Amino acid sequence: MDVTETLAFDNADRKDIYDYVESHGIVREDEVRRALNFEPAALGAHLTVLRREGYIRKVGDKVQVAYDEDDAQVFEADDGEGFTIRTAQQVDLDALVDAIQEVAEEGTYIEAETVGEMIDHEEVVLRHNEVQSRMVFVATVDDELAGWCHLDLPETGKLRHTAVLTVGTRSEFRGKGIGSRLLERGVDWADDHGFEKLYNSVPATNEAAIAFLEDHGWETEAVREDHYKIGDDYADEVMMAVGIR
């Protein structure tokens, strides 16, 4: 199932099951049964239908939302070391949160801090429900998570052609071209799924991020003066955007 797919349930119990699984990332079947007060046979029948319709995937004695996984792409970094970019999975949760928080602690990427706090609080990587949806890609070097690209996908009809993108790499992996590949992956995915415009906001003090986005065709669309307070100092918010259609 794609995170942009329209959700349609013809049974209230199956919708409740999907919502519970979606909000937990991955969960044991017996936990779903107890939480929603189902008889084992009834839950089994509903899960069978949800799996057949492509909403749910079984993983051992657990179930999770059956998100589509794009093919992993392997690249060679500027220093010759290989890295992989792929769809994030629930097992990446801790490493993903650590990477985002590491970048956020530098104090120059407020949007990333917000994303990190949200994912950490929800303890779910990908989301797709009637209120919110998000797509996440990660870059890995060997088995270490080096960076991410996050797309916040509005469910409001008048905004569904837009998305908010955040991208970042841990400090030790910068200067290798990983961030550029992550950004390209996010933009390409958004283009393939019919989005028309992407947004990203950074403090004016983050000159490196602004230059990075400008190098990839992004433009400053607006500036909000003194929008951020970093320590005792105020900083403007630079709202950047790129049209992709």
Side-chain angles (χ1 to χ4, degrees), residues 226-241:
D226 296 340
H227 182 67
Y228 299 120
K229 189 174 184 180
I230 304 172
D232 294 328
D233 299 321
Y234 291 93
D236 296 345
E237 177 190 36
V238 180
M239 304 172 70
M240 305 192 71

Side-chain angles (χ1 to χ4, degrees), residues 176-187:
K176 302 174 182 288
I178 296 176
S180 292
R181 292 294 188 180
L182 279 166
L183 180 62
E184 290 171 7
R185 183 64 174 267
V187 172

Side-chain angles (χ1 to χ4, degrees), residues 33-140:
R33 179 177 59 79
R34 289 194 301 271
L36 300 180
N37 196 29
F38 279 106
E39 292 295 327
L43 177 64
H46 286 313
L47 288 176
T48 297
V49 175
L50 287 169
R51 288 199 301 271
R52 185 171 64 239
E53 293 180 346
Y55 286 116
I56 297 294
R57 171 185 300 129
K58 190 169 183 177
V59 183
D61 63 348
K62 298 181 179 180
V63 289
Q64 64 181 35
V65 175
Y67 292 115
D68 293 340
E69 295 182 9
D70 293 350
D71 292 337
Q73 297 177 333
V74 179
F75 301 95
E76 183 175 304
D78 292 347
D79 62 358
E81 188 173 21
F83 64 93
T84 300
I85 294 180
R86 57 173 173 79
T87 303
Q89 303 171 5
Q90 187 62 25
V91 295
D92 296 313
L93 175 65
D94 291 340
L96 174 63
V97 171
D98 287 346
I100 297 175
Q101 289 179 342
E102 180 181 317
V103 172
E105 285 172 359
E106 298 172 4
T108 57
Y109 202 173
I110 313 304
E111 290 292 325
E113 182 177 349
T114 302
V115 169
E117 290 175 350
M118 178 175 58
I119 294 176
D120 188 32
H121 174 73
E122 295 175 355
E123 297 185 332
V124 181
V125 175
L126 303 183
R127 298 299 306 266
H128 182 38
N129 55 55
E130 295 173 344
V131 177
Q132 65 170 328
S133 296
R134 65 169 169 256
M135 185 66 185
V136 184
F137 296 101
V138 293
T140 59

Side-chain angles (χ1 to χ4, degrees), residues 209-228:
I210 294 170
F212 170 76
L213 290 171
E214 287 177 342
D215 287 345
H216 289 83
W218 292 59
E219 297 179 350
T220 297
E221 193 164 84
V223 175
R224 292 200 285 186
E225 294 184 1
D226 296 340
H227 182 67
Y228 299 120

